[in-house]
Amino acid sequence: MSSIALSLLDLEVEENQCFEAEDYQTRVGKWCAGCGDFGALNAVKRLLAKEQLQPEKMAFVSGIGCSSRFPHYVNAYGFHGIHGRALPIATGLKLARPELDVFVVMGDGDCTSIGAGHWIHATRYNANMTVLLLDNNIYGLTKNQTSPTTPMGHKSNTSPRGAVLPALDPLQATLGISNASFVAQTADWVPAHLYATLQAAYEHPGFSFVRVLQRCPKFTPDVFLANVKDPDLTELLVHENGVDVPGLHQLYKSRRVHDPKDLDEARALAQRKDMLRLGIFFRDDNIPVYEEVRARTPVSAEEKVRRLNKEFDRYGV
Ligand code: SF4
């Protein structure tokens, strides 16, 4: 049976209706107690309410994984796609309907393994969409298999003696892709930072890649535990063009002013493993988006039909 599912709106929209955050949720998320996906959903709902986005003018696209249930819980158009393919689906949607706000939700197995090729090219295409990588360092839905971001030594069903390879770093990888325009990292256990980062990602005109460190109490309960317990192990990247939440200053004493325009420093910071860093690593709002690049050479419907017929004629008897 195909796993592709298209969800339509449950909400009847009235003219000039004012939406509260709860208006954007269709049902209670079916995630384990304590799962970080709940925090991500809450932050997204707050963003949608802040922006007063019309449910019929946005779409959530996902692949396969625990976090990919997202479209079922948001009152918007939704496309629960197939494993690793959320980004090409979302890119096609954005090209066909550029006026829609498009959000993509993927897990680490989904994006950085089977979907890795799409991740590279979608970043390079720079279509205008907000992309959440909910990274819990494990395949959760299929019950505990090592993913590319699983820390070396972590035991799982597929690596009972511990993962043997160094973990892939999604920040370093994305910052190395030509034409990357927005790369950020945040964490589900710092909700104010998560919300502010999503806000900045939404405002960015281009492909906004946000890695959300996401707790999975079921299969990777320890991987972020030290950082959750001790804020001194985390450094916030702050800048007027980045994210700075004054309410976090008391708890997070370690802060670094980082201009997100500086790609070399962004790459250097992503490479360093002395501390966990949250914030916008890189941002360039002037890189052309793919839907506009494509629109520069418009082709009429008649011309498309003529070209298609010509192509078919090549194979005619
Ligand atoms: Fe969340 Fe992990 Fe449970 Fe999946 S397995 S719902 S990621 S806690």
Side-chain angles (χ1 to χ4, degrees):
M1 195 174 94
S2 168
S3 59
I4 295 177
L6 192 64
S7 59
L8 299 178
L9 298 171
D10 294 339
L11 190 68
E12 288 192 6
V13 182
E14 293 168 15
E15 209 174 336
N16 300 324
Q17 182 175 347
C18 179
F19 297 105
E20 304 290 336
E22 291 314 311
D23 293 330
Y24 290 102
Q25 183 158 1
T26 55
R27 66 203 77 169
V28 177
K30 284 188 182 173
W31 293 305
C32 307
C35 177
D37 289 346
F38 287 108
L41 181 58
N42 282 338
V44 166
K45 283 160 39 190
R46 280 183 66 196
L47 171 69
L48 303 183
K50 158 87 176 16
E51 297 295 328
Q52 284 296 295
L53 296 187
Q54 296 291 313
E56 78 278 14
K57 291 182 180 159
M58 58 179 169
F60 280 72
V61 181
S62 68
I64 294 295
C66 293
S67 55
S68 288
R69 294 184 179 130
F70 229 85
H72 297 276
Y73 306 143
V74 182
N75 225 335
Y77 286 109
F79 199 122
H80 189 176
I82 52 177
H83 206 198
R85 314 300 176 214
L87 286 171
I89 293 167
T91 305
L93 176 60
K94 190 67 189 177
L95 288 178
R97 296 286 305 277
E99 76 281 11
L100 292 182
D101 281 313
V102 176
F103 295 82
V104 180
V105 183
M106 301 175 290
D108 42 293
D110 199 34
C111 172
T112 70
S113 185
I114 188 170
H118 297 306
W119 167 34
I120 291 171
H121 292 290
T123 303
R124 185 172 69 95
Y125 276 39
N126 194 40
N128 188 7
M129 57 182 74
T130 307
V131 178
L132 279 68
L133 168 61
L134 293 173
D135 190 351
N136 59 2
N137 292 189
I138 202 79
Y139 284 91
L141 186 72
T142 44
K143 307 287 178 264
N144 197 23
Q145 290 92 27
T146 296
S147 91
T149 64
T150 302
M152 192 154 68
H154 182 86
K155 293 179 179 166
S156 72
N157 286 342
T158 47
S159 307
R161 288 188 288 278
V164 295
L165 294 174
L168 183 153
D169 185 325
L171 292 182
Q172 280 181 260
T174 313
L175 287 165
I177 299 171
S178 307
N179 229 28
S181 69
F182 185 104
V183 182
Q185 177 160 269
T186 183
D188 81 72
W189 60 91
V190 196
H193 193 272
L194 171 57
Y195 170 70
T197 306
L198 292 186
Q199 178 80 52
Y202 174 73
E203 288 167 0
H204 169 70
F207 187 89
S208 313
F209 180 84
V210 182
R211 183 194 190 196
V212 182
L213 302 174
Q214 179 237 313
R215 287 170 293 178
C216 171
K218 185 82 176 163
F219 298 123
T220 49
D222 299 331
V223 292
F224 304 124
L225 199 56
N227 289 95
V228 174
K229 285 185 170 175
D230 185 358
D232 289 345
L233 300 177
T234 299
E235 183 174 76
L236 301 182
L237 304 181
V238 297
H239 193 271
E240 59 186 359
N241 296 324
V243 169
D244 191 7
V245 185
L248 294 174
H249 288 188
Q250 205 169 355
L251 193 58
Y252 289 89
K253 304 263 184 319
S254 180
R255 296 186 296 280
R256 174 189 294 264
V257 177
H258 165 62
D259 183 349
K261 282 190 186 139
D262 189 338
L263 181 57
D264 288 339
E265 193 188 356
R267 287 173 172 158
L269 289 171
Q271 200 164 11
R272 284 174 54 177
K273 299 299 171 205
D274 52 327
M275 294 188 88
L276 177 67
R277 292 191 167 81
L278 304 181
I280 299 181
F281 283 70
F282 180 68
R283 172 180 196 163
D284 183 345
D285 289 357
N286 296 314
I287 295 178
V289 296
Y290 188 61
E291 53 273 32
E292 286 174 9
V293 172
R294 281 274 302 247
R296 283 178 197 159
T297 49
V299 178
S300 68
E302 292 77 16
E303 175 61 13
K304 283 180 187 166
V305 170
R306 191 192 69 75
R307 290 183 190 178
L308 203 55
N309 281 334
K310 190 178 168 196
E311 196 62 21
F312 287 152
D313 288 346
R314 288 177 55 208
Y315 301 98
V317 285

